Amino acid sequence: MSELLTTVDGRPLKAALASAERTKRIRAVLLVMPLFIFIFFSFLYPIALMLYRSVENPLIAQHMPNTVAILENWDGKEVPGEEAFAALAKDLVTAREAREIGKVATRLNFETPGLRSVITGSARSAGKWKPPYKEKFIDRRKEWGDLTTWVTIKRLSPTITSVNYLAAIDRQYNVDGEIQMIGSDYQIYVDLFMRTMWMSIVVTVSCLVLGFPIAYMLASLPLRHSNLLMILVLLPFWTSLLVRTTSWIVLLQTQGVLNDLMVWTGIINDAQRIQLIFNAQGTVIAMTQILLPFMVLPLYSVMKTIPPSYLRAAESLGAHRFLAFWRVYVPNTLPGVGAGCLLVFILAIGYYITPALVGGQDGQMISNMIAFHMQKSLNWGLAAALGGILLGGVVILYWLYNKLVGIDRLKLG
Amino acid sequence: MITKLKMTTFVAAGALAFGAMAAAPASAESLTVVSWGGAYTKSQVEAYHKPFTKKTGIEILSENYSGGLAEIKAQVEAGSVKWDVVDVELSDAVRGCDEGLLEQIDPSILPPAPDGTPAADDFIDGSIFDCAVGSIVWSTIYAYDKSKFSGAMPTTMADFFDTKKFPGKRGMRKSPKANLEMALIADGVPNSKVYELLATPAGVDRAFKKLDTIKDSVVWWEAGAQPPQLLADGEVAMTTAYNGRIFNAIASENKPFDIVWDGQVFDLDLFVVVKGAPNKKAAMDFIAFATGTQPLADQASWISYGPVRKSSTPLIGKHAEAGIDMVPHMPTAPANFKTAIQNDFEFWADRQDELNNRFNSWLAN
């Protein structure tokens, strides 16, 4: 048994060390606390809220309690009986008095078009009716004699629902409760997710192809030249996104600078002006230019750290210049390539303003639909579900990157 | 010491800023009125805001938005309402009222016409609602650049869809509203049957089939200020637009544009008060004032949107700057109104989710 080690004042060394560590740890926690609180309230909490909103569905259960209770035991095979109609009348009148009927009607209308006026119209009349109700309801609006109406109400009774996610992948429940594709005239989201992916890949590859030589040149030129050229990369980077997007409109529109130039030089005549913008290619061009610095900067910072002597060594050992470049230089730049591609791709996938301004009809991306449901249709549940899927995609991508390249090799500068 | 001093200054500045922020909404002497911007807001500032401030001393902050209920809903649900009065479209007024986003407006606050006609009789039918009071009649029309065509000029809705007879690109609003109606009218459907037909799948198919014929030549716009710009840039030969915006380009900028009134789809703009508005009392006063006979007539002398009060029409004079006689440029002028169709807000409130989906899907493919 060795003697216990103590400090000068006689405390056991272990305890003294532990208390010193603890103070340090508390101090460290306190230091990151503001950041953590900030991240929590500005990032984690809103995301959790969004995910919750994509499945929450309290309106029907809250404002039509009697109908929901009766429909619980309903088999959904045929239009329910008088009991359900009496409960419906009671709920509609109460909800109308509380001025909540519009919300209920809007929610149901998202699922089955036309139900809004069925609900609000019947609610106006129901207050004056005496039992029996069934006939009066069906007389007022024939939709009450329709199985779909009741199935819709029953389906939306639970306070947690998956209908938003189904809608976000162009699917819905049919009258028998099976999941099926919606009509081909109404399908849009799956295609749009695919197109968003595809356009983001095209933008990422274009950025890499354009950005690699630029970064290489910046990294290999003497500092006084490269600093000057660096300004050319940074200046657009610091310019407002909106300004850059609108300049592309000025340049590319059919009466724009580029078309004028081509007509003036006689490459095309006035009737053949080319549609360069307000379509998918316009979006890709503008987004590539806007996202290019996000590729160049990580590449540059990685290339700057590769000693030129590696290449010289390879060449002195007999490698052709190109072989030396390909086998020695390029593998060394991979962390930068990975970082740049990941950064550009994730930024591109959620791009909104540029496609909205220059996308025209076939250059829209999924974020434009999310904005549409946030701002115009007010279907926030569906917007949240679309956002949730997008978030899921990015998380998968990040996981994939970590598997393939390793996140610890990510170098941003 | 220096750090301490800096810290004190910082805290003091912060406290001041916070105090200023907290004090601002408490003052009852200001009112936030939100509208659509551009020439339209200017006409409202001249005709409503300035005289109201002169009369009551209440300062008006004018803000712009691009329509819809999203901001109103967000403010009401978050419990921090910043807006008082908002200028909205009819379908949004009805929907916002149903969903409890708007304050009820007591129609008895509306002043009678100068000759004593009560407000209820002076307003055109269907322009006073539980939560909204109408101010103008506006219209979606189509307009063209006269210098782009030689010989015959377009005169009917069918001409808009006829790219053989009138070559060139078309501008259209990126929304099914008004476009579907116009497509059916151009396809020969009589006005009275348009909404009846649109309520059936076959009618919707027919409208989209008509839109298919010009889909490749359409430039889509979203904000009201875009179509006159598209015409002026020569990006399109014809475009649908809000009639006042085109009029403004003709009157104030001398553009060679002309409006085709055939098959115009007219609609109302209304004032609403956001639920829980910070200056509710002043907001009600403002609405009562702005929808009075004289202010409505004054507004119509800045932009060619028709007043909803019958008593305002005889008071409309010439354009305040260009000196053009305004009455013939109103959507409701008899010569323009012959083939007009009213936007059916019930239909759109019921079917907009479905038709927007179909439209977006159609657009993307």
Side-chain angles (χ1 to χ4, degrees), chain A residues 278 352 354-365 368-369 372 376, chain B residues 171-179 218-223 226-227 239-240 242 356 359-360 362-364:
Chain A
F278 302 123
Y352 158 63
T354 307
L357 286 174
V358 304
Q361 43 180 298
D362 60 352
Q364 302 289 302
M365 299 181 49
N368 299 105
M369 272 331 271
F372 172 80
K376 296 278 159 63
Chain B
M172 289 181 108
R173 185 181 178 186
K174 201 164 156 189
S175 146
K177 219 189 252 182
N179 288 341
V218 175
V219 176
W220 301 97
W221 55 267
E222 285 180 89
Q226 279 172 290
T239 179
T240 64
Y242 306 136
N356 275 328
F359 182 78
N360 288 330
W362 173 81
L363 211 55

mmCIF file of all heavy atoms in Angstrom, chain A residues 278 352 354-365 368-369 372 376, chain B residues 171-179 218-223 226-227 239-240 242 356 359-360 362-364:
data_model
loop_
_atom_site.group_PDB
_atom_site.id
_atom_site.type_symbol
_atom_site.label_atom_id
_atom_site.label_comp_id
_atom_site.label_asym_id
_atom_site.label_seq_id
_atom_site.Cartn_x
_atom_site.Cartn_y
_atom_site.Cartn_z
ATOM 1 N N PHE A 278 -36.180 32.241 -67.146
ATOM 2 C CA PHE A 278 -37.558 31.871 -66.828
ATOM 3 C C PHE A 278 -37.796 30.415 -67.214
ATOM 4 O O PHE A 278 -38.848 30.043 -67.708
ATOM 5 C CB PHE A 278 -38.583 32.793 -67.513
ATOM 6 C CG PHE A 278 -38.389 34.236 -67.155
ATOM 7 C CD1 PHE A 278 -38.186 35.201 -68.122
ATOM 8 C CD2 PHE A 278 -38.384 34.629 -65.824
ATOM 9 C CE1 PHE A 278 -37.976 36.529 -67.784
ATOM 10 C CE2 PHE A 278 -38.177 35.956 -65.483
ATOM 11 C CZ PHE A 278 -37.974 36.907 -66.459
ATOM 12 N N TYR A 352 -34.557 29.191 -52.783
ATOM 13 C CA TYR A 352 -35.922 29.651 -52.895
ATOM 14 C C TYR A 352 -36.061 30.905 -53.757
ATOM 15 O O TYR A 352 -36.794 30.912 -54.739
ATOM 16 C CB TYR A 352 -36.483 29.876 -51.482
ATOM 17 C CG TYR A 352 -37.644 30.805 -51.418
ATOM 18 C CD1 TYR A 352 -38.828 30.483 -52.061
ATOM 19 C CD2 TYR A 352 -37.563 32.004 -50.737
ATOM 20 C CE1 TYR A 352 -39.898 31.337 -52.022
ATOM 21 C CE2 TYR A 352 -38.633 32.863 -50.702
ATOM 22 C CZ TYR A 352 -39.796 32.530 -51.339
ATOM 23 O OH TYR A 352 -40.852 33.379 -51.314
ATOM 24 N N THR A 354 -34.014 32.601 -55.895
ATOM 25 C CA THR A 354 -33.588 32.559 -57.289
ATOM 26 C C THR A 354 -34.548 31.772 -58.178
ATOM 27 O O THR A 354 -34.992 32.288 -59.204
ATOM 28 C CB THR A 354 -32.147 32.026 -57.381
ATOM 29 O OG1 THR A 354 -31.338 32.812 -56.517
ATOM 30 C CG2 THR A 354 -31.632 32.107 -58.781
ATOM 31 N N PRO A 355 -34.923 30.528 -57.799
ATOM 32 C CA PRO A 355 -35.913 29.829 -58.638
ATOM 33 C C PRO A 355 -37.231 30.599 -58.737
ATOM 34 O O PRO A 355 -37.860 30.606 -59.794
ATOM 35 C CB PRO A 355 -36.132 28.495 -57.925
ATOM 36 C CG PRO A 355 -35.019 28.329 -57.000
ATOM 37 C CD PRO A 355 -34.449 29.665 -56.701
ATOM 38 N N ALA A 356 -37.629 31.263 -57.648
ATOM 39 C CA ALA A 356 -38.890 32.006 -57.694
ATOM 40 C C ALA A 356 -38.814 33.124 -58.718
ATOM 41 O O ALA A 356 -39.781 33.404 -59.416
ATOM 42 C CB ALA A 356 -39.221 32.572 -56.318
ATOM 43 N N LEU A 357 -37.628 33.769 -58.821
ATOM 44 C CA LEU A 357 -37.517 34.916 -59.722
ATOM 45 C C LEU A 357 -37.237 34.517 -61.163
ATOM 46 O O LEU A 357 -37.767 35.120 -62.089
ATOM 47 C CB LEU A 357 -36.415 35.861 -59.237
ATOM 48 C CG LEU A 357 -36.775 36.696 -58.012
ATOM 49 C CD1 LEU A 357 -35.563 37.482 -57.547
ATOM 50 C CD2 LEU A 357 -37.912 37.643 -58.326
ATOM 51 N N VAL A 358 -36.374 33.526 -61.355
ATOM 52 C CA VAL A 358 -35.977 33.209 -62.729
ATOM 53 C C VAL A 358 -36.435 31.825 -63.177
ATOM 54 O O VAL A 358 -36.122 31.393 -64.277
ATOM 55 C CB VAL A 358 -34.446 33.324 -62.921
ATOM 56 C CG1 VAL A 358 -33.963 34.681 -62.523
ATOM 57 C CG2 VAL A 358 -33.716 32.250 -62.141
ATOM 58 N N GLY A 359 -37.172 31.108 -62.326
ATOM 59 C CA GLY A 359 -37.505 29.718 -62.628
ATOM 60 C C GLY A 359 -38.589 29.534 -63.669
ATOM 61 O O GLY A 359 -38.667 28.488 -64.288
ATOM 62 N N GLY A 360 -39.439 30.551 -63.861
ATOM 63 C CA GLY A 360 -40.522 30.359 -64.814
ATOM 64 C C GLY A 360 -41.371 29.165 -64.434
ATOM 65 O O GLY A 360 -41.663 28.954 -63.265
ATOM 66 N N GLN A 361 -41.761 28.356 -65.427
ATOM 67 C CA GLN A 361 -42.646 27.247 -65.079
ATOM 68 C C GLN A 361 -41.924 25.960 -64.749
ATOM 69 O O GLN A 361 -42.358 25.223 -63.883
ATOM 70 C CB GLN A 361 -43.654 27.021 -66.190
ATOM 71 C CG GLN A 361 -43.074 27.085 -67.583
ATOM 72 C CD GLN A 361 -44.135 26.852 -68.618
ATOM 73 O OE1 GLN A 361 -44.720 25.803 -68.649
ATOM 74 N NE2 GLN A 361 -44.387 27.842 -69.452
ATOM 75 N N ASP A 362 -40.805 25.660 -65.411
ATOM 76 C CA ASP A 362 -40.182 24.371 -65.121
ATOM 77 C C ASP A 362 -38.890 24.509 -64.319
ATOM 78 O O ASP A 362 -38.164 23.551 -64.157
ATOM 79 C CB ASP A 362 -39.955 23.566 -66.408
ATOM 80 C CG ASP A 362 -39.050 24.305 -67.382
ATOM 81 O OD1 ASP A 362 -38.753 25.479 -67.100
ATOM 82 O OD2 ASP A 362 -38.653 23.722 -68.392
ATOM 83 N N GLY A 363 -38.619 25.695 -63.804
ATOM 84 C CA GLY A 363 -37.419 25.870 -62.998
ATOM 85 C C GLY A 363 -37.716 26.053 -61.526
ATOM 86 O O GLY A 363 -36.895 26.537 -60.774
ATOM 87 N N GLN A 364 -38.927 25.655 -61.103
ATOM 88 C CA GLN A 364 -39.291 25.791 -59.686
ATOM 89 C C GLN A 364 -38.699 24.643 -58.884
ATOM 90 O O GLN A 364 -38.497 23.552 -59.405
ATOM 91 C CB GLN A 364 -40.812 25.767 -59.527
ATOM 92 C CG GLN A 364 -41.509 26.859 -60.304
ATOM 93 C CD GLN A 364 -41.276 28.226 -59.725
ATOM 94 O OE1 GLN A 364 -41.594 28.468 -58.570
ATOM 95 N NE2 GLN A 364 -40.720 29.122 -60.505
ATOM 96 N N MET A 365 -38.454 24.896 -57.611
ATOM 97 C CA MET A 365 -37.944 23.840 -56.754
ATOM 98 C C MET A 365 -38.904 23.624 -55.585
ATOM 99 O O MET A 365 -39.853 24.361 -55.409
ATOM 100 C CB MET A 365 -36.534 24.196 -56.283
ATOM 101 C CG MET A 365 -35.650 24.328 -57.486
ATOM 102 S SD MET A 365 -33.940 24.712 -57.246
ATOM 103 C CE MET A 365 -33.372 23.609 -56.022
ATOM 104 N N ASN A 368 -40.112 26.392 -53.326
ATOM 105 C CA ASN A 368 -41.133 27.304 -53.833
ATOM 106 C C ASN A 368 -42.531 26.792 -53.489
ATOM 107 O O ASN A 368 -43.436 27.579 -53.214
ATOM 108 C CB ASN A 368 -40.996 27.492 -55.338
ATOM 109 C CG ASN A 368 -39.656 28.087 -55.711
ATOM 110 O OD1 ASN A 368 -38.788 27.397 -56.213
ATOM 111 N ND2 ASN A 368 -39.467 29.354 -55.432
ATOM 112 N N MET A 369 -42.696 25.471 -53.491
ATOM 113 C CA MET A 369 -43.989 24.906 -53.095
ATOM 114 C C MET A 369 -44.213 25.084 -51.598
ATOM 115 O O MET A 369 -45.326 25.346 -51.148
ATOM 116 C CB MET A 369 -44.031 23.404 -53.427
ATOM 117 C CG MET A 369 -44.514 23.048 -54.814
ATOM 118 S SD MET A 369 -45.666 24.142 -55.575
ATOM 119 C CE MET A 369 -47.184 23.493 -55.017
ATOM 120 N N PHE A 372 -45.234 28.482 -51.131
ATOM 121 C CA PHE A 372 -46.605 28.635 -51.610
ATOM 122 C C PHE A 372 -47.608 28.206 -50.545
ATOM 123 O O PHE A 372 -48.594 28.891 -50.287
ATOM 124 C CB PHE A 372 -46.795 27.812 -52.898
ATOM 125 C CG PHE A 372 -48.215 27.751 -53.378
ATOM 126 C CD1 PHE A 372 -48.759 28.814 -54.077
ATOM 127 C CD2 PHE A 372 -49.020 26.661 -53.096
ATOM 128 C CE1 PHE A 372 -50.074 28.775 -54.509
ATOM 129 C CE2 PHE A 372 -50.331 26.612 -53.522
ATOM 130 C CZ PHE A 372 -50.859 27.678 -54.223
ATOM 131 N N LYS A 376 -49.684 31.275 -49.461
ATOM 132 C CA LYS A 376 -50.896 31.428 -50.242
ATOM 133 C C LYS A 376 -52.004 30.497 -49.770
ATOM 134 O O LYS A 376 -53.088 30.937 -49.439
ATOM 135 C CB LYS A 376 -50.598 31.182 -51.729
ATOM 136 C CG LYS A 376 -49.637 32.188 -52.341
ATOM 137 C CD LYS A 376 -50.344 33.468 -52.744
ATOM 138 C CE LYS A 376 -49.415 34.658 -52.867
ATOM 139 N NZ LYS A 376 -48.392 34.521 -53.895
ATOM 140 N N GLY B 171 -48.263 37.385 -71.257
ATOM 141 C CA GLY B 171 -48.019 37.389 -69.814
ATOM 142 C C GLY B 171 -49.287 36.962 -69.095
ATOM 143 O O GLY B 171 -50.379 37.382 -69.467
ATOM 144 N N MET B 172 -49.158 36.088 -68.087
ATOM 145 C CA MET B 172 -50.332 35.685 -67.315
ATOM 146 C C MET B 172 -49.955 35.528 -65.863
ATOM 147 O O MET B 172 -48.818 35.202 -65.529
ATOM 148 C CB MET B 172 -50.886 34.348 -67.824
ATOM 149 C CG MET B 172 -51.549 34.428 -69.182
ATOM 150 S SD MET B 172 -52.201 32.820 -69.674
ATOM 151 C CE MET B 172 -53.941 33.080 -69.491
ATOM 152 N N ARG B 173 -50.931 35.747 -64.970
ATOM 153 C CA ARG B 173 -50.670 35.601 -63.538
ATOM 154 C C ARG B 173 -50.487 34.132 -63.200
ATOM 155 O O ARG B 173 -51.238 33.281 -63.665
ATOM 156 C CB ARG B 173 -51.843 36.168 -62.733
ATOM 157 C CG ARG B 173 -51.582 36.166 -61.242
ATOM 158 C CD ARG B 173 -52.783 36.708 -60.496
ATOM 159 N NE ARG B 173 -52.543 36.664 -59.064
ATOM 160 C CZ ARG B 173 -53.458 36.970 -58.163
ATOM 161 N NH1 ARG B 173 -54.657 37.359 -58.533
ATOM 162 N NH2 ARG B 173 -53.189 36.898 -56.885
ATOM 163 N N LYS B 174 -49.480 33.866 -62.367
ATOM 164 C CA LYS B 174 -49.170 32.482 -62.025
ATOM 165 C C LYS B 174 -50.137 31.973 -60.966
ATOM 166 O O LYS B 174 -49.779 31.790 -59.804
ATOM 167 C CB LYS B 174 -47.745 32.420 -61.488
ATOM 168 C CG LYS B 174 -47.132 31.058 -61.560
ATOM 169 C CD LYS B 174 -45.668 31.252 -61.389
ATOM 170 C CE LYS B 174 -44.889 30.137 -60.892
ATOM 171 N NZ LYS B 174 -43.544 30.614 -60.592
ATOM 172 N N SER B 175 -51.361 31.772 -61.380
ATOM 173 C CA SER B 175 -52.414 31.319 -60.479
ATOM 174 C C SER B 175 -53.592 30.952 -61.359
ATOM 175 O O SER B 175 -53.780 31.533 -62.414
ATOM 176 C CB SER B 175 -52.771 32.466 -59.528
ATOM 177 O OG SER B 175 -54.144 32.438 -59.207
ATOM 178 N N PRO B 176 -54.365 29.946 -60.962
ATOM 179 C CA PRO B 176 -55.481 29.562 -61.836
ATOM 180 C C PRO B 176 -56.585 30.617 -61.860
ATOM 181 O O PRO B 176 -57.337 30.693 -62.831
ATOM 182 C CB PRO B 176 -55.982 28.262 -61.204
ATOM 183 C CG PRO B 176 -55.537 28.296 -59.797
ATOM 184 C CD PRO B 176 -54.258 29.081 -59.777
ATOM 185 N N LYS B 177 -56.674 31.422 -60.792
ATOM 186 C CA LYS B 177 -57.751 32.406 -60.689
ATOM 187 C C LYS B 177 -57.726 33.356 -61.879
ATOM 188 O O LYS B 177 -56.651 33.833 -62.257
ATOM 189 C CB LYS B 177 -57.564 33.202 -59.386
ATOM 190 C CG LYS B 177 -58.856 33.498 -58.677
ATOM 191 C CD LYS B 177 -58.614 34.451 -57.532
ATOM 192 C CE LYS B 177 -58.732 33.754 -56.195
ATOM 193 N NZ LYS B 177 -58.546 34.684 -55.072
ATOM 194 N N ALA B 178 -58.864 33.616 -62.453
ATOM 195 C CA ALA B 178 -59.059 34.483 -63.625
ATOM 196 C C ALA B 178 -58.570 33.829 -64.923
ATOM 197 O O ALA B 178 -59.205 33.974 -65.955
ATOM 198 C CB ALA B 178 -58.433 35.868 -63.459
ATOM 199 N N ASN B 179 -57.442 33.081 -64.863
ATOM 200 C CA ASN B 179 -56.977 32.436 -66.090
ATOM 201 C C ASN B 179 -57.967 31.391 -66.591
ATOM 202 O O ASN B 179 -58.223 31.285 -67.791
ATOM 203 C CB ASN B 179 -55.625 31.760 -65.859
ATOM 204 C CG ASN B 179 -54.510 32.770 -65.724
ATOM 205 O OD1 ASN B 179 -54.663 33.921 -66.150
ATOM 206 N ND2 ASN B 179 -53.412 32.377 -65.133
ATOM 207 N N VAL B 218 -46.157 31.524 -72.773
ATOM 208 C CA VAL B 218 -46.555 32.340 -71.624
ATOM 209 C C VAL B 218 -45.361 32.675 -70.731
ATOM 210 O O VAL B 218 -44.535 31.829 -70.431
ATOM 211 C CB VAL B 218 -47.641 31.627 -70.789
ATOM 212 C CG1 VAL B 218 -47.957 32.435 -69.546
ATOM 213 C CG2 VAL B 218 -48.898 31.429 -71.605
ATOM 214 N N VAL B 219 -45.271 33.943 -70.345
ATOM 215 C CA VAL B 219 -44.365 34.367 -69.283
ATOM 216 C C VAL B 219 -45.249 34.606 -68.061
ATOM 217 O O VAL B 219 -46.212 35.371 -68.138
ATOM 218 C CB VAL B 219 -43.634 35.676 -69.657
ATOM 219 C CG1 VAL B 219 -42.769 36.151 -68.505
ATOM 220 C CG2 VAL B 219 -42.803 35.485 -70.911
ATOM 221 N N TRP B 220 -44.948 33.942 -66.939
ATOM 222 C CA TRP B 220 -45.826 34.028 -65.766
ATOM 223 C C TRP B 220 -45.393 35.143 -64.835
ATOM 224 O O TRP B 220 -44.213 35.304 -64.569
ATOM 225 C CB TRP B 220 -45.839 32.694 -65.018
ATOM 226 C CG TRP B 220 -46.323 31.571 -65.887
ATOM 227 C CD1 TRP B 220 -45.541 30.685 -66.566
ATOM 228 C CD2 TRP B 220 -47.685 31.254 -66.217
ATOM 229 N NE1 TRP B 220 -46.338 29.829 -67.290
ATOM 230 C CE2 TRP B 220 -47.651 30.148 -67.092
ATOM 231 C CE3 TRP B 220 -48.910 31.789 -65.838
ATOM 232 C CZ2 TRP B 220 -48.803 29.573 -67.615
ATOM 233 C CZ3 TRP B 220 -50.058 31.212 -66.336
ATOM 234 C CH2 TRP B 220 -50.001 30.118 -67.222
ATOM 235 N N TRP B 221 -46.366 35.903 -64.353
ATOM 236 C CA TRP B 221 -46.019 36.965 -63.404
ATOM 237 C C TRP B 221 -46.726 36.721 -62.074
ATOM 238 O O TRP B 221 -47.693 35.968 -62.015
ATOM 239 C CB TRP B 221 -46.361 38.352 -63.949
ATOM 240 C CG TRP B 221 -47.782 38.575 -64.396
ATOM 241 C CD1 TRP B 221 -48.267 38.423 -65.664
ATOM 242 C CD2 TRP B 221 -48.894 39.012 -63.606
ATOM 243 N NE1 TRP B 221 -49.593 38.730 -65.707
ATOM 244 C CE2 TRP B 221 -50.021 39.106 -64.464
ATOM 245 C CE3 TRP B 221 -49.050 39.364 -62.268
ATOM 246 C CZ2 TRP B 221 -51.279 39.518 -64.029
ATOM 247 C CZ3 TRP B 221 -50.307 39.765 -61.836
ATOM 248 C CH2 TRP B 221 -51.395 39.837 -62.706
ATOM 249 N N GLU B 222 -46.203 37.345 -61.007
ATOM 250 C CA GLU B 222 -46.797 37.145 -59.694
ATOM 251 C C GLU B 222 -47.218 38.427 -59.003
ATOM 252 O O GLU B 222 -48.213 38.458 -58.302
ATOM 253 C CB GLU B 222 -45.842 36.359 -58.792
ATOM 254 C CG GLU B 222 -45.814 34.889 -59.178
ATOM 255 C CD GLU B 222 -44.881 34.069 -58.317
ATOM 256 O OE1 GLU B 222 -45.339 33.578 -57.291
ATOM 257 O OE2 GLU B 222 -43.707 33.931 -58.679
ATOM 258 N N ALA B 223 -46.457 39.508 -59.201
ATOM 259 C CA ALA B 223 -46.809 40.768 -58.548
ATOM 260 C C ALA B 223 -47.449 41.710 -59.560
ATOM 261 O O ALA B 223 -47.110 41.683 -60.741
ATOM 262 C CB ALA B 223 -45.570 41.408 -57.940
ATOM 263 N N GLN B 226 -45.481 43.687 -62.199
ATOM 264 C CA GLN B 226 -44.719 43.015 -63.255
ATOM 265 C C GLN B 226 -45.288 43.174 -64.671
ATOM 266 O O GLN B 226 -44.535 43.448 -65.595
ATOM 267 C CB GLN B 226 -44.564 41.533 -62.918
ATOM 268 C CG GLN B 226 -43.459 41.251 -61.928
ATOM 269 C CD GLN B 226 -43.479 39.801 -61.478
ATOM 270 O OE1 GLN B 226 -44.362 39.365 -60.759
ATOM 271 N NE2 GLN B 226 -42.517 39.036 -61.941
ATOM 272 N N PRO B 227 -46.622 42.981 -64.867
ATOM 273 C CA PRO B 227 -47.115 43.002 -66.251
ATOM 274 C C PRO B 227 -46.827 44.286 -67.029
ATOM 275 O O PRO B 227 -46.369 44.173 -68.180
ATOM 276 C CB PRO B 227 -48.613 42.737 -66.116
ATOM 277 C CG PRO B 227 -48.919 42.624 -64.691
ATOM 278 C CD PRO B 227 -47.656 42.530 -63.932
ATOM 279 N N THR B 239 -50.512 40.941 -72.178
ATOM 280 C CA THR B 239 -50.467 40.348 -70.855
ATOM 281 C C THR B 239 -51.761 40.621 -70.099
ATOM 282 O O THR B 239 -52.376 41.673 -70.289
ATOM 283 C CB THR B 239 -49.278 40.874 -70.034
ATOM 284 O OG1 THR B 239 -49.297 40.274 -68.743
ATOM 285 C CG2 THR B 239 -49.336 42.388 -69.868
ATOM 286 N N THR B 240 -52.174 39.652 -69.286
ATOM 287 C CA THR B 240 -53.256 39.954 -68.360
ATOM 288 C C THR B 240 -52.655 40.844 -67.275
ATOM 289 O O THR B 240 -51.458 40.796 -67.023
ATOM 290 C CB THR B 240 -53.828 38.683 -67.711
ATOM 291 O OG1 THR B 240 -52.805 38.080 -66.932
ATOM 292 C CG2 THR B 240 -54.330 37.702 -68.751
ATOM 293 N N TYR B 242 -53.824 43.880 -63.785
ATOM 294 C CA TYR B 242 -54.848 44.628 -63.071
ATOM 295 C C TYR B 242 -55.039 45.944 -63.821
ATOM 296 O O TYR B 242 -54.058 46.618 -64.136
ATOM 297 C CB TYR B 242 -54.432 44.873 -61.625
ATOM 298 C CG TYR B 242 -54.059 43.612 -60.888
ATOM 299 C CD1 TYR B 242 -52.932 43.563 -60.077
ATOM 300 C CD2 TYR B 242 -54.819 42.455 -61.045
ATOM 301 C CE1 TYR B 242 -52.585 42.387 -59.421
ATOM 302 C CE2 TYR B 242 -54.471 41.285 -60.391
ATOM 303 C CZ TYR B 242 -53.349 41.255 -59.583
ATOM 304 O OH TYR B 242 -53.001 40.099 -58.942
ATOM 305 N N ASN B 356 -55.412 24.982 -57.436
ATOM 306 C CA ASN B 356 -54.015 25.396 -57.349
ATOM 307 C C ASN B 356 -53.095 24.218 -57.569
ATOM 308 O O ASN B 356 -52.090 24.314 -58.269
ATOM 309 C CB ASN B 356 -53.721 26.008 -55.972
ATOM 310 C CG ASN B 356 -54.062 27.475 -55.920
ATOM 311 O OD1 ASN B 356 -53.953 28.180 -56.919
ATOM 312 N ND2 ASN B 356 -54.494 27.936 -54.774
ATOM 313 N N PHE B 359 -53.173 23.298 -61.149
ATOM 314 C CA PHE B 359 -52.471 24.317 -61.922
ATOM 315 C C PHE B 359 -50.956 24.155 -61.770
ATOM 316 O O PHE B 359 -50.218 24.168 -62.756
ATOM 317 C CB PHE B 359 -52.909 25.701 -61.456
ATOM 318 C CG PHE B 359 -52.285 26.836 -62.204
ATOM 319 C CD1 PHE B 359 -52.748 27.192 -63.457
ATOM 320 C CD2 PHE B 359 -51.244 27.559 -61.659
ATOM 321 C CE1 PHE B 359 -52.186 28.239 -64.159
ATOM 322 C CE2 PHE B 359 -50.668 28.613 -62.352
ATOM 323 C CZ PHE B 359 -51.140 28.953 -63.596
ATOM 324 N N ASN B 360 -50.500 23.975 -60.534
ATOM 325 C CA ASN B 360 -49.062 23.811 -60.299
ATOM 326 C C ASN B 360 -48.526 22.578 -61.000
ATOM 327 O O ASN B 360 -47.416 22.584 -61.542
ATOM 328 C CB ASN B 360 -48.782 23.717 -58.797
ATOM 329 C CG ASN B 360 -48.952 25.054 -58.117
ATOM 330 O OD1 ASN B 360 -48.727 26.096 -58.726
ATOM 331 N ND2 ASN B 360 -49.383 25.044 -56.873
ATOM 332 N N TRP B 362 -49.877 21.147 -63.647
ATOM 333 C CA TRP B 362 -49.932 21.438 -65.087
ATOM 334 C C TRP B 362 -48.734 22.273 -65.510
ATOM 335 O O TRP B 362 -48.105 22.028 -66.539
ATOM 336 C CB TRP B 362 -51.242 22.174 -65.384
ATOM 337 C CG TRP B 362 -51.374 22.681 -66.781
ATOM 338 C CD1 TRP B 362 -51.739 21.974 -67.890
ATOM 339 C CD2 TRP B 362 -51.164 24.025 -67.238
ATOM 340 N NE1 TRP B 362 -51.763 22.780 -68.997
ATOM 341 C CE2 TRP B 362 -51.417 24.052 -68.622
ATOM 342 C CE3 TRP B 362 -50.785 25.208 -66.596
ATOM 343 C CZ2 TRP B 362 -51.312 25.207 -69.390
ATOM 344 C CZ3 TRP B 362 -50.673 26.364 -67.351
ATOM 345 C CH2 TRP B 362 -50.936 26.354 -68.745
ATOM 346 N N LEU B 363 -48.402 23.254 -64.690
ATOM 347 C CA LEU B 363 -47.318 24.170 -64.995
ATOM 348 C C LEU B 363 -45.979 23.438 -65.044
ATOM 349 O O LEU B 363 -45.141 23.720 -65.890
ATOM 350 C CB LEU B 363 -47.268 25.230 -63.884
ATOM 351 C CG LEU B 363 -46.797 26.615 -64.243
ATOM 352 C CD1 LEU B 363 -47.613 27.171 -65.385
ATOM 353 C CD2 LEU B 363 -46.939 27.514 -63.028
ATOM 354 N N ALA B 364 -45.813 22.483 -64.142
ATOM 355 C CA ALA B 364 -44.506 21.838 -64.004
ATOM 356 C C ALA B 364 -44.272 20.786 -65.073
ATOM 357 O O ALA B 364 -43.141 20.350 -65.262
ATOM 358 C CB ALA B 364 -44.382 21.217 -62.625
#
